[in-house]
Amino acid sequence: MYPTNAYNSYKTNSINYASKDQLLLMLVDGAVKYAKIGRKAIEDKDVNKAHQNIIRTEDIFYELMATLDISKAPDWGQNLMNVYRFIIDKLIQANMKKDTNIMDEVIPIIENVRDTWNEAYKMSVGMKK
């Protein structure tokens, strides 16, 4: 029992003390994770698990859209907003149809978003040094 409590405490503290940038990275990592779980669940014909994980992925992108301040970078921000909308649309389609092909199309895009944010974070940390 102790290891589970220690892990949960660690996870809670990681979230509570993370910077905004680190929280963003956690979110996009979670999006990749839940999208892959959702895809596997579709493959395994576990409709409920697929639905729950695809919805979790959608929720992450809705949150990213809600927190995106386009006024700070209008062109770049609008392009990113369009990518987020595209991802959500594909996730909705995949969830409705329980289609692994759509998930195979959207997961690399989600991974690309994660990788882009990871690179941006590394660059911003490097600039602060």
PDB file of all heavy atoms in Angstrom, residues 54 57-66 81-95 102 106 109-110:
ATOM      1  N   ILE A  54     -10.660   8.629 -25.522  1.00  0.00           N
ATOM      2  CA  ILE A  54     -10.732   9.607 -26.609  1.00  0.00           C
ATOM      3  C   ILE A  54     -11.314  10.919 -26.083  1.00  0.00           C
ATOM      4  O   ILE A  54     -10.827  12.001 -26.413  1.00  0.00           O
ATOM      5  CB  ILE A  54     -11.519   9.042 -27.809  1.00  0.00           C
ATOM      6  CG1 ILE A  54     -10.732   7.879 -28.439  1.00  0.00           C
ATOM      7  CG2 ILE A  54     -11.788  10.137 -28.842  1.00  0.00           C
ATOM      8  CD1 ILE A  54     -11.494   7.100 -29.496  1.00  0.00           C
ATOM      9  N   THR A  57      -8.689  12.791 -24.288  1.00  0.00           N
ATOM     10  CA  THR A  57      -7.795  13.453 -25.241  1.00  0.00           C
ATOM     11  C   THR A  57      -8.447  14.725 -25.773  1.00  0.00           C
ATOM     12  O   THR A  57      -7.808  15.777 -25.850  1.00  0.00           O
ATOM     13  CB  THR A  57      -7.439  12.501 -26.399  1.00  0.00           C
ATOM     14  OG1 THR A  57      -6.993  11.245 -25.876  1.00  0.00           O
ATOM     15  CG2 THR A  57      -6.345  13.094 -27.275  1.00  0.00           C
ATOM     16  N   GLU A  58      -9.730  14.631 -26.141  1.00  0.00           N
ATOM     17  CA  GLU A  58     -10.461  15.819 -26.612  1.00  0.00           C
ATOM     18  C   GLU A  58     -10.432  16.908 -25.540  1.00  0.00           C
ATOM     19  O   GLU A  58     -10.186  18.080 -25.847  1.00  0.00           O
ATOM     20  CB  GLU A  58     -11.924  15.473 -26.908  1.00  0.00           C
ATOM     21  CG  GLU A  58     -12.148  14.676 -28.153  1.00  0.00           C
ATOM     22  CD  GLU A  58     -13.615  14.271 -28.284  1.00  0.00           C
ATOM     23  OE1 GLU A  58     -14.513  15.058 -27.906  1.00  0.00           O
ATOM     24  OE2 GLU A  58     -13.856  13.158 -28.765  1.00  0.00           O
ATOM     25  N   ASP A  59     -10.700  16.525 -24.300  1.00  0.00           N
ATOM     26  CA  ASP A  59     -10.737  17.493 -23.200  1.00  0.00           C
ATOM     27  C   ASP A  59      -9.408  18.231 -23.054  1.00  0.00           C
ATOM     28  O   ASP A  59      -9.378  19.430 -22.764  1.00  0.00           O
ATOM     29  CB  ASP A  59     -11.115  16.815 -21.889  1.00  0.00           C
ATOM     30  CG  ASP A  59     -12.583  16.430 -21.815  1.00  0.00           C
ATOM     31  OD1 ASP A  59     -13.385  16.913 -22.649  1.00  0.00           O
ATOM     32  OD2 ASP A  59     -12.929  15.626 -20.931  1.00  0.00           O
ATOM     33  N   ILE A  60      -8.319  17.516 -23.255  1.00  0.00           N
ATOM     34  CA  ILE A  60      -7.002  18.153 -23.174  1.00  0.00           C
ATOM     35  C   ILE A  60      -6.881  19.223 -24.256  1.00  0.00           C
ATOM     36  O   ILE A  60      -6.425  20.342 -23.993  1.00  0.00           O
ATOM     37  CB  ILE A  60      -5.873  17.106 -23.280  1.00  0.00           C
ATOM     38  CG1 ILE A  60      -5.824  16.281 -21.987  1.00  0.00           C
ATOM     39  CG2 ILE A  60      -4.525  17.780 -23.566  1.00  0.00           C
ATOM     40  CD1 ILE A  60      -4.934  15.054 -22.054  1.00  0.00           C
ATOM     41  N   PHE A  61      -7.320  18.897 -25.461  1.00  0.00           N
ATOM     42  CA  PHE A  61      -7.206  19.885 -26.536  1.00  0.00           C
ATOM     43  C   PHE A  61      -8.192  21.037 -26.357  1.00  0.00           C
ATOM     44  O   PHE A  61      -7.872  22.176 -26.715  1.00  0.00           O
ATOM     45  CB  PHE A  61      -7.299  19.225 -27.913  1.00  0.00           C
ATOM     46  CG  PHE A  61      -5.984  18.601 -28.285  1.00  0.00           C
ATOM     47  CD1 PHE A  61      -5.763  17.260 -28.050  1.00  0.00           C
ATOM     48  CD2 PHE A  61      -4.953  19.367 -28.793  1.00  0.00           C
ATOM     49  CE1 PHE A  61      -4.534  16.693 -28.336  1.00  0.00           C
ATOM     50  CE2 PHE A  61      -3.716  18.818 -29.080  1.00  0.00           C
ATOM     51  CZ  PHE A  61      -3.499  17.473 -28.859  1.00  0.00           C
ATOM     52  N   TYR A  62      -9.354  20.780 -25.777  1.00  0.00           N
ATOM     53  CA  TYR A  62     -10.258  21.883 -25.448  1.00  0.00           C
ATOM     54  C   TYR A  62      -9.592  22.806 -24.424  1.00  0.00           C
ATOM     55  O   TYR A  62      -9.710  24.030 -24.511  1.00  0.00           O
ATOM     56  CB  TYR A  62     -11.599  21.371 -24.898  1.00  0.00           C
ATOM     57  CG  TYR A  62     -12.548  20.875 -25.964  1.00  0.00           C
ATOM     58  CD1 TYR A  62     -13.066  19.580 -25.904  1.00  0.00           C
ATOM     59  CD2 TYR A  62     -12.951  21.689 -27.018  1.00  0.00           C
ATOM     60  CE1 TYR A  62     -13.951  19.114 -26.875  1.00  0.00           C
ATOM     61  CE2 TYR A  62     -13.825  21.231 -27.998  1.00  0.00           C
ATOM     62  CZ  TYR A  62     -14.325  19.951 -27.915  1.00  0.00           C
ATOM     63  OH  TYR A  62     -15.186  19.502 -28.874  1.00  0.00           O
ATOM     64  N   GLU A  63      -8.920  22.225 -23.454  1.00  0.00           N
ATOM     65  CA  GLU A  63      -8.220  23.027 -22.448  1.00  0.00           C
ATOM     66  C   GLU A  63      -7.089  23.831 -23.088  1.00  0.00           C
ATOM     67  O   GLU A  63      -6.902  25.015 -22.770  1.00  0.00           O
ATOM     68  CB  GLU A  63      -7.661  22.127 -21.341  1.00  0.00           C
ATOM     69  CG  GLU A  63      -6.952  22.867 -20.235  1.00  0.00           C
ATOM     70  CD  GLU A  63      -7.831  23.807 -19.426  1.00  0.00           C
ATOM     71  OE1 GLU A  63      -9.068  23.612 -19.376  1.00  0.00           O
ATOM     72  OE2 GLU A  63      -7.295  24.772 -18.861  1.00  0.00           O
ATOM     73  N   LEU A  64      -6.337  23.207 -23.985  1.00  0.00           N
ATOM     74  CA  LEU A  64      -5.265  23.918 -24.676  1.00  0.00           C
ATOM     75  C   LEU A  64      -5.827  25.086 -25.489  1.00  0.00           C
ATOM     76  O   LEU A  64      -5.231  26.166 -25.523  1.00  0.00           O
ATOM     77  CB  LEU A  64      -4.477  22.963 -25.582  1.00  0.00           C
ATOM     78  CG  LEU A  64      -3.645  21.907 -24.861  1.00  0.00           C
ATOM     79  CD1 LEU A  64      -3.084  20.896 -25.850  1.00  0.00           C
ATOM     80  CD2 LEU A  64      -2.527  22.547 -24.047  1.00  0.00           C
ATOM     81  N   MET A  65      -6.984  24.877 -26.121  1.00  0.00           N
ATOM     82  CA  MET A  65      -7.620  25.954 -26.878  1.00  0.00           C
ATOM     83  C   MET A  65      -8.055  27.088 -25.952  1.00  0.00           C
ATOM     84  O   MET A  65      -7.872  28.259 -26.275  1.00  0.00           O
ATOM     85  CB  MET A  65      -8.832  25.420 -27.656  1.00  0.00           C
ATOM     86  CG  MET A  65      -8.450  24.556 -28.833  1.00  0.00           C
ATOM     87  SD  MET A  65      -9.876  23.765 -29.612  1.00  0.00           S
ATOM     88  CE  MET A  65     -10.666  25.180 -30.389  1.00  0.00           C
ATOM     89  N   ALA A  66      -8.609  26.727 -24.811  1.00  0.00           N
ATOM     90  CA  ALA A  66      -9.116  27.730 -23.871  1.00  0.00           C
ATOM     91  C   ALA A  66      -7.996  28.590 -23.292  1.00  0.00           C
ATOM     92  O   ALA A  66      -8.214  29.761 -22.963  1.00  0.00           O
ATOM     93  CB  ALA A  66      -9.895  27.055 -22.750  1.00  0.00           C
ATOM     94  N   MET A  81      -4.429  27.096 -33.107  1.00  0.00           N
ATOM     95  CA  MET A  81      -5.847  26.886 -32.796  1.00  0.00           C
ATOM     96  C   MET A  81      -6.495  26.000 -33.871  1.00  0.00           C
ATOM     97  O   MET A  81      -7.273  25.096 -33.552  1.00  0.00           O
ATOM     98  CB  MET A  81      -6.562  28.230 -32.702  1.00  0.00           C
ATOM     99  CG  MET A  81      -8.006  28.130 -32.270  1.00  0.00           C
ATOM    100  SD  MET A  81      -8.229  27.664 -30.536  1.00  0.00           S
ATOM    101  CE  MET A  81      -7.798  29.184 -29.708  1.00  0.00           C
ATOM    102  N   ASN A  82      -6.153  26.238 -35.128  1.00  0.00           N
ATOM    103  CA  ASN A  82      -6.693  25.429 -36.226  1.00  0.00           C
ATOM    104  C   ASN A  82      -6.233  23.970 -36.124  1.00  0.00           C
ATOM    105  O   ASN A  82      -7.006  23.051 -36.394  1.00  0.00           O
ATOM    106  CB  ASN A  82      -6.301  26.017 -37.582  1.00  0.00           C
ATOM    107  CG  ASN A  82      -6.977  27.343 -37.855  1.00  0.00           C
ATOM    108  OD1 ASN A  82      -8.000  27.675 -37.257  1.00  0.00           O
ATOM    109  ND2 ASN A  82      -6.381  28.127 -38.739  1.00  0.00           N
ATOM    110  N   VAL A  83      -4.994  23.760 -35.725  1.00  0.00           N
ATOM    111  CA  VAL A  83      -4.491  22.392 -35.532  1.00  0.00           C
ATOM    112  C   VAL A  83      -5.258  21.711 -34.400  1.00  0.00           C
ATOM    113  O   VAL A  83      -5.690  20.560 -34.536  1.00  0.00           O
ATOM    114  CB  VAL A  83      -2.965  22.388 -35.243  1.00  0.00           C
ATOM    115  CG1 VAL A  83      -2.487  21.013 -34.808  1.00  0.00           C
ATOM    116  CG2 VAL A  83      -2.185  22.874 -36.463  1.00  0.00           C
ATOM    117  N   TYR A  84      -5.463  22.422 -33.301  1.00  0.00           N
ATOM    118  CA  TYR A  84      -6.216  21.861 -32.178  1.00  0.00           C
ATOM    119  C   TYR A  84      -7.645  21.492 -32.605  1.00  0.00           C
ATOM    120  O   TYR A  84      -8.152  20.431 -32.253  1.00  0.00           O
ATOM    121  CB  TYR A  84      -6.264  22.837 -31.007  1.00  0.00           C
ATOM    122  CG  TYR A  84      -4.948  23.082 -30.292  1.00  0.00           C
ATOM    123  CD1 TYR A  84      -4.817  24.133 -29.396  1.00  0.00           C
ATOM    124  CD2 TYR A  84      -3.831  22.283 -30.514  1.00  0.00           C
ATOM    125  CE1 TYR A  84      -3.630  24.364 -28.722  1.00  0.00           C
ATOM    126  CE2 TYR A  84      -2.638  22.518 -29.857  1.00  0.00           C
ATOM    127  CZ  TYR A  84      -2.542  23.565 -28.955  1.00  0.00           C
ATOM    128  OH  TYR A  84      -1.365  23.785 -28.295  1.00  0.00           O
ATOM    129  N   ARG A  85      -8.287  22.380 -33.372  1.00  0.00           N
ATOM    130  CA  ARG A  85      -9.650  22.088 -33.854  1.00  0.00           C
ATOM    131  C   ARG A  85      -9.668  20.857 -34.747  1.00  0.00           C
ATOM    132  O   ARG A  85     -10.570  20.028 -34.659  1.00  0.00           O
ATOM    133  CB  ARG A  85     -10.207  23.290 -34.623  1.00  0.00           C
ATOM    134  CG  ARG A  85     -10.728  24.383 -33.758  1.00  0.00           C
ATOM    135  CD  ARG A  85     -11.511  25.417 -34.582  1.00  0.00           C
ATOM    136  NE  ARG A  85     -11.808  26.559 -33.767  1.00  0.00           N
ATOM    137  CZ  ARG A  85     -11.253  27.760 -33.897  1.00  0.00           C
ATOM    138  NH1 ARG A  85     -10.399  28.001 -34.867  1.00  0.00           N
ATOM    139  NH2 ARG A  85     -11.583  28.740 -33.084  1.00  0.00           N
ATOM    140  N   PHE A  86      -8.672  20.765 -35.630  1.00  0.00           N
ATOM    141  CA  PHE A  86      -8.574  19.616 -36.533  1.00  0.00           C
ATOM    142  C   PHE A  86      -8.446  18.324 -35.733  1.00  0.00           C
ATOM    143  O   PHE A  86      -9.118  17.326 -36.019  1.00  0.00           O
ATOM    144  CB  PHE A  86      -7.375  19.784 -37.479  1.00  0.00           C
ATOM    145  CG  PHE A  86      -7.162  18.622 -38.398  1.00  0.00           C
ATOM    146  CD1 PHE A  86      -7.909  18.509 -39.568  1.00  0.00           C
ATOM    147  CD2 PHE A  86      -6.224  17.648 -38.105  1.00  0.00           C
ATOM    148  CE1 PHE A  86      -7.722  17.436 -40.426  1.00  0.00           C
ATOM    149  CE2 PHE A  86      -6.027  16.572 -38.955  1.00  0.00           C
ATOM    150  CZ  PHE A  86      -6.779  16.456 -40.115  1.00  0.00           C
ATOM    151  N   ILE A  87      -7.587  18.341 -34.722  1.00  0.00           N
ATOM    152  CA  ILE A  87      -7.385  17.164 -33.871  1.00  0.00           C
ATOM    153  C   ILE A  87      -8.699  16.780 -33.194  1.00  0.00           C
ATOM    154  O   ILE A  87      -9.086  15.602 -33.201  1.00  0.00           O
ATOM    155  CB  ILE A  87      -6.267  17.414 -32.836  1.00  0.00           C
ATOM    156  CG1 ILE A  87      -4.908  17.460 -33.536  1.00  0.00           C
ATOM    157  CG2 ILE A  87      -6.283  16.355 -31.729  1.00  0.00           C
ATOM    158  CD1 ILE A  87      -3.761  17.964 -32.669  1.00  0.00           C
ATOM    159  N   ILE A  88      -9.378  17.746 -32.622  1.00  0.00           N
ATOM    160  CA  ILE A  88     -10.650  17.460 -31.941  1.00  0.00           C
ATOM    161  C   ILE A  88     -11.665  16.888 -32.927  1.00  0.00           C
ATOM    162  O   ILE A  88     -12.349  15.908 -32.613  1.00  0.00           O
ATOM    163  CB  ILE A  88     -11.191  18.721 -31.232  1.00  0.00           C
ATOM    164  CG1 ILE A  88     -10.306  19.064 -30.034  1.00  0.00           C
ATOM    165  CG2 ILE A  88     -12.641  18.517 -30.791  1.00  0.00           C
ATOM    166  CD1 ILE A  88     -10.581  20.428 -29.418  1.00  0.00           C
ATOM    167  N   ASP A  89     -11.765  17.472 -34.108  1.00  0.00           N
ATOM    168  CA  ASP A  89     -12.701  16.957 -35.119  1.00  0.00           C
ATOM    169  C   ASP A  89     -12.390  15.500 -35.463  1.00  0.00           C
ATOM    170  O   ASP A  89     -13.294  14.668 -35.562  1.00  0.00           O
ATOM    171  CB  ASP A  89     -12.661  17.803 -36.392  1.00  0.00           C
ATOM    172  CG  ASP A  89     -13.297  19.173 -36.213  1.00  0.00           C
ATOM    173  OD1 ASP A  89     -14.014  19.382 -35.207  1.00  0.00           O
ATOM    174  OD2 ASP A  89     -13.069  20.043 -37.087  1.00  0.00           O
ATOM    175  N   LYS A  90     -11.122  15.188 -35.638  1.00  0.00           N
ATOM    176  CA  LYS A  90     -10.721  13.808 -35.963  1.00  0.00           C
ATOM    177  C   LYS A  90     -11.028  12.871 -34.796  1.00  0.00           C
ATOM    178  O   LYS A  90     -11.471  11.739 -35.003  1.00  0.00           O
ATOM    179  CB  LYS A  90      -9.230  13.743 -36.318  1.00  0.00           C
ATOM    180  CG  LYS A  90      -8.913  14.323 -37.670  1.00  0.00           C
ATOM    181  CD  LYS A  90      -9.550  13.495 -38.760  1.00  0.00           C
ATOM    182  CE  LYS A  90      -9.248  14.027 -40.127  1.00  0.00           C
ATOM    183  NZ  LYS A  90      -9.890  13.248 -41.183  1.00  0.00           N
ATOM    184  N   LEU A  91     -10.778  13.328 -33.582  1.00  0.00           N
ATOM    185  CA  LEU A  91     -11.072  12.495 -32.414  1.00  0.00           C
ATOM    186  C   LEU A  91     -12.570  12.226 -32.300  1.00  0.00           C
ATOM    187  O   LEU A  91     -12.978  11.099 -31.983  1.00  0.00           O
ATOM    188  CB  LEU A  91     -10.551  13.164 -31.136  1.00  0.00           C
ATOM    189  CG  LEU A  91      -9.029  13.202 -30.979  1.00  0.00           C
ATOM    190  CD1 LEU A  91      -8.634  14.138 -29.839  1.00  0.00           C
ATOM    191  CD2 LEU A  91      -8.458  11.805 -30.771  1.00  0.00           C
ATOM    192  N   ILE A  92     -13.376  13.237 -32.572  1.00  0.00           N
ATOM    193  CA  ILE A  92     -14.833  13.047 -32.532  1.00  0.00           C
ATOM    194  C   ILE A  92     -15.254  12.012 -33.570  1.00  0.00           C
ATOM    195  O   ILE A  92     -16.037  11.099 -33.275  1.00  0.00           O
ATOM    196  CB  ILE A  92     -15.568  14.395 -32.743  1.00  0.00           C
ATOM    197  CG1 ILE A  92     -15.374  15.296 -31.516  1.00  0.00           C
ATOM    198  CG2 ILE A  92     -17.048  14.171 -33.026  1.00  0.00           C
ATOM    199  CD1 ILE A  92     -15.817  16.743 -31.728  1.00  0.00           C
ATOM    200  N   GLN A  93     -14.723  12.124 -34.778  1.00  0.00           N
ATOM    201  CA  GLN A  93     -15.034  11.155 -35.839  1.00  0.00           C
ATOM    202  C   GLN A  93     -14.607   9.746 -35.435  1.00  0.00           C
ATOM    203  O   GLN A  93     -15.364   8.781 -35.607  1.00  0.00           O
ATOM    204  CB  GLN A  93     -14.334  11.526 -37.146  1.00  0.00           C
ATOM    205  CG  GLN A  93     -14.856  12.758 -37.816  1.00  0.00           C
ATOM    206  CD  GLN A  93     -13.999  13.143 -39.024  1.00  0.00           C
ATOM    207  OE1 GLN A  93     -13.346  12.299 -39.635  1.00  0.00           O
ATOM    208  NE2 GLN A  93     -13.987  14.422 -39.349  1.00  0.00           N
ATOM    209  N   ALA A  94     -13.387   9.634 -34.928  1.00  0.00           N
ATOM    210  CA  ALA A  94     -12.865   8.316 -34.534  1.00  0.00           C
ATOM    211  C   ALA A  94     -13.713   7.711 -33.423  1.00  0.00           C
ATOM    212  O   ALA A  94     -13.986   6.510 -33.427  1.00  0.00           O
ATOM    213  CB  ALA A  94     -11.409   8.436 -34.077  1.00  0.00           C
ATOM    214  N   ASN A  95     -14.143   8.545 -32.496  1.00  0.00           N
ATOM    215  CA  ASN A  95     -14.943   8.062 -31.383  1.00  0.00           C
ATOM    216  C   ASN A  95     -16.329   7.625 -31.850  1.00  0.00           C
ATOM    217  O   ASN A  95     -16.834   6.577 -31.432  1.00  0.00           O
ATOM    218  CB  ASN A  95     -15.047   9.146 -30.302  1.00  0.00           C
ATOM    219  CG  ASN A  95     -15.432   8.594 -28.959  1.00  0.00           C
ATOM    220  OD1 ASN A  95     -15.498   7.383 -28.741  1.00  0.00           O
ATOM    221  ND2 ASN A  95     -15.686   9.482 -28.030  1.00  0.00           N
ATOM    222  N   ILE A 102      -8.747   6.380 -38.373  1.00  0.00           N
ATOM    223  CA  ILE A 102      -8.766   7.807 -38.043  1.00  0.00           C
ATOM    224  C   ILE A 102      -7.795   8.075 -36.895  1.00  0.00           C
ATOM    225  O   ILE A 102      -7.068   9.075 -36.905  1.00  0.00           O
ATOM    226  CB  ILE A 102     -10.193   8.290 -37.710  1.00  0.00           C
ATOM    227  CG1 ILE A 102     -11.104   8.121 -38.929  1.00  0.00           C
ATOM    228  CG2 ILE A 102     -10.181   9.751 -37.243  1.00  0.00           C
ATOM    229  CD1 ILE A 102     -12.580   8.385 -38.663  1.00  0.00           C
ATOM    230  N   VAL A 106      -4.598  10.689 -36.670  1.00  0.00           N
ATOM    231  CA  VAL A 106      -4.508  11.817 -35.739  1.00  0.00           C
ATOM    232  C   VAL A 106      -3.402  11.648 -34.684  1.00  0.00           C
ATOM    233  O   VAL A 106      -2.827  12.649 -34.241  1.00  0.00           O
ATOM    234  CB  VAL A 106      -5.883  12.107 -35.090  1.00  0.00           C
ATOM    235  CG1 VAL A 106      -6.242  11.110 -34.018  1.00  0.00           C
ATOM    236  CG2 VAL A 106      -5.932  13.530 -34.549  1.00  0.00           C
ATOM    237  N   ILE A 109      -0.181  13.457 -35.401  1.00  0.00           N
ATOM    238  CA  ILE A 109      -0.348  14.906 -35.289  1.00  0.00           C
ATOM    239  C   ILE A 109      -0.272  15.313 -33.813  1.00  0.00           C
ATOM    240  O   ILE A 109       0.376  16.308 -33.466  1.00  0.00           O
ATOM    241  CB  ILE A 109      -1.672  15.362 -35.937  1.00  0.00           C
ATOM    242  CG1 ILE A 109      -1.672  15.008 -37.423  1.00  0.00           C
ATOM    243  CG2 ILE A 109      -1.885  16.871 -35.736  1.00  0.00           C
ATOM    244  CD1 ILE A 109      -3.022  15.137 -38.098  1.00  0.00           C
ATOM    245  N   ILE A 110      -0.922  14.523 -32.955  1.00  0.00           N
ATOM    246  CA  ILE A 110      -0.861  14.794 -31.515  1.00  0.00           C
ATOM    247  C   ILE A 110       0.581  14.667 -31.025  1.00  0.00           C
ATOM    248  O   ILE A 110       1.066  15.498 -30.244  1.00  0.00           O
ATOM    249  CB  ILE A 110      -1.808  13.841 -30.741  1.00  0.00           C
ATOM    250  CG1 ILE A 110      -3.267  14.114 -31.129  1.00  0.00           C
ATOM    251  CG2 ILE A 110      -1.600  13.979 -29.231  1.00  0.00           C
ATOM    252  CD1 ILE A 110      -4.247  13.070 -30.617  1.00  0.00           C
TER     253      ILE A 110
END
